[in-house]
Amino acid sequence: MLTMAQRTNVQAQDETSSSRLPIRESHTINLIDTPGHADFTFEVIRSLRILDGAVCILDGVAGVEAQTEKVWYQAANHKIPKIIYINKLDRDGAAFGKTVKEIASRLFTWPAVCQIPWYDQSTDRHKGNFVGLGDAVELQCLRWAGRDDGKSIRVIKLNDLASIDKRLYEELRKARVALVELLSENDDYMVEKYLECNEDHLAISPADIRKSIRRCLLDGASTITPVFAGSSFQNIGIQPLLDRVVDLLPSPSEISDPEVKISGMHIGLKDLTEKNGLPSSIAPKSGSKGRVVGSKGIFSLQGNIGALALAFKVVNNPKSGVLVYVRVYYGTIESNAMLYNTNLQSSERAPKLFRMYAADAVEVPSINSGQIGVIRGLKYARTGDTLIAYTGTSPKSGIPAPWNTLQLRPIDVPSPVFFASVEPQSLSEQESISNALALLLREDPSLRVTVDDDSGQTLLSGMGELHLEIAQDRLINDLKAKASMGKIEIEYRECIMAPSSVQRAVFDREIAGKMGQAGCSVTVIPWSDDMETTSVMDGTESMLKSNGNMIVTKIKQNQHDSSEEQKGLPLGLTHDFFHTPLRNGALAALARGPQHRFPMQNTQVSILFDLTSDFFGMHTTPAALLTAARIATQRALKDSAQAIDTVLMEPVMNAVITCTEATLGGVVHDISAARGGHIVSLDDTDAMSTSDDRTREEAQLIDIRRVYAPPDPFASSVAVGNEEGMPSQTNRARSITARIPLKEMVGYLKHLRSLTAGRGSFTMSLDRFERMNGLRQKAVLKEIRGSY
């Protein structure tokens, strides 16, 4: 968190040629930094959920990289306003103009160049020093003093620049003209100001230009992105960048309506906080506790709801303990407030609240709407949980429906593709390792812990090799767990090839001293995402897609019960009382296949619960329902496997490999011949088919010839006659989009660097699980069984 209360010193060296930057009023900026590696995509997504705006930082030498594109479109899907900062312009090979063109061609946005780099041309070196910026908005130049850590800035007005640097003077005028022209094409307000100033691009005030840029940023239909320049290492450009963050990006009150899921419906938070309220179909029945009904009979968020917050990150601090970072979307969280966790259906008290300044925590009495704060002392809250401060919350009964189902910005956790075994060094360490693993899962829900029933091994699963390596390091070095880690393996799947017959199971046994009795009937069939599914919307049928499988639960009601209030259900019970444990029982059975013991994939489980024959009154408990569903599903899977053997499925990755033109042929041959991959496209980054890239398909193609980009005076390897200033054919960067089995990508980075003389890089994400052919399955099973 930064508080911009004071500005950097500005040297007024010359009364006629310099001026002082204005002192700005205080603003609070919460900075959320995320890793850029593809293995940590989930952490990027969970951080994007709580952002009001984003600064996309590009390397001035490398330009727009593959992972940058993926995160860019993820932010676009969340409708987050973005500005771009081109960094490292002090390095050899930095090319600001080339990067601007890549922004247009690869991110499909019109770059509004607000700053251009200033290189000192007076030196005799091969490359001039990066000394400052030309500001096309303010029509002035900022020159930073060397060896001063960016603390002293000289401000030079446009009219005085001609005598100092004629080339920069002319280029800054061109940049202002191009900026005004681009804004005029997208904002009527700028057209009006342009006409008021007698069509003089330079006469328009900086305030009007900032207002126009902000209007375009906050307009979801606009395709303009402001571009700024600098060098963070030398602290050049940081101060004006923070000013533009305040001027251009929205405040918490101006963000788009966050998504809320309540009673299975996805609606906007404003539908709850404003007069609209909840639809009457999901509002509490008459007489419900905590009911607030408006004049039109609509249930609104006013009343007992004190605050809504999202726990977006959990961190284990060695000194302070577990810290839960929260973003408050509604109301105010007070110190010592009782918070209800709608994900865990439990309550706990928030003893102390803090505001973080880097590693320093300052205790505060409350966290207001729109703010980010830290709660210390929560024992169960996990990353991604929704917390509600509700007046009169009971630790035992919780809060009334439908508020107990409310979730802020819910996301699906992607399936892990790697796993490694975790073994305690002694039996006495088993409990401490279990506690450490539980803490890891609280911090990162994309990690998963399972226990192999056959071997008894504890398996830790993650999104990639680096992801698991860091989790292992945290477990052993940070959490001091005395454990040994096994070799990282690939998470395969198993799928059925034939439908099963109806399998019925009745559970009748004592559980924890209480009699449990329940039954159900189950069938399983092969399933895929493109299959059409329909559901009855009266509560008797429930459908859930989970980990590549479809679970359908249906309650056959007692037709003899004419009670309209209960709709045939036993008195006091709801549909969820049956749906939830039946669904969980099926998921438990799908965790292990009938033949090879891998998790099931592409399987539809249909569960029928007949109230006449499967319900046994008070003895039918959730535990009994879960066990009956698990047993029946296991029987159905075995019945299918007896008809036709199951088939292994392996994760296939969407990989984007970047290399030079000279090494393109060798990389393509290695992918297609040695690794069994399928080349999707060359230099066509639009070919990725993941759901995160839907915005890409809808993007407007941009004519690069119309994009303004200042010339790069020191760019290397420029082809003669290439008006776009792109690198020569030999060194030109090429990108290869391919689908490759994950098994062939293990350790691929070292091999790629040897093929490309260290210049190659790649990113990958899970595309889908695909069935193996017979020869490949036989080889994989031989390798797996030979490792035991």
Side-chain angles (χ1 to χ4, degrees), residues 544-555:
L544 173 70
K545 179 183 175 183
S546 177
N547 294 333
N549 299 303
M550 175 64 72
I551 313 296
V552 180
T553 56
K554 184 176 182 180
I555 303 173

Side-chain angles (χ1 to χ4, degrees), residues 621-637:
T621 62
L625 288 167
L626 186 150
T627 306
R630 177 177 59 81
I631 295 173
T633 305
Q634 289 173 340
R635 291 177 180 175
L637 291 174

Side-chain angles (χ1 to χ4, degrees), residues 167-241:
R167 184 198 62 81
L168 183 62
Y169 169 78
E170 296 294 341
E171 197 59 45
L172 189 56
R173 291 171 59 93
K174 293 180 183 178
R176 166 55 87 91
V177 172
L179 180 60
V180 172
E181 292 289 338
L182 180 60
L183 292 174
S184 299
E185 294 175 3
N186 292 269
D187 185 22
D188 293 338
Y189 174 81
M190 180 51 61
V191 176
E192 296 175 3
K193 294 300 177 182
Y194 176 67
L195 297 176
E196 289 178 5
C197 296
N198 299 320
E199 301 184 4
D200 184 357
H201 300 81
L202 305 183
I204 303 175
S205 69
D208 288 331
I209 291 183
R210 288 195 299 269
K211 183 176 180 180
S212 178
I213 296 174
R214 181 177 172 83
R215 285 164 56 92
C216 291
L217 269 183
L218 300 186
D219 180 10
S222 177
T223 57
I224 286 182
T225 304
V227 179
F228 302 91
S231 168
S232 299
F233 179 74
Q234 297 190 26
N235 209 19
I236 295 177
I238 302 302
Q239 301 91 336
L241 176 66

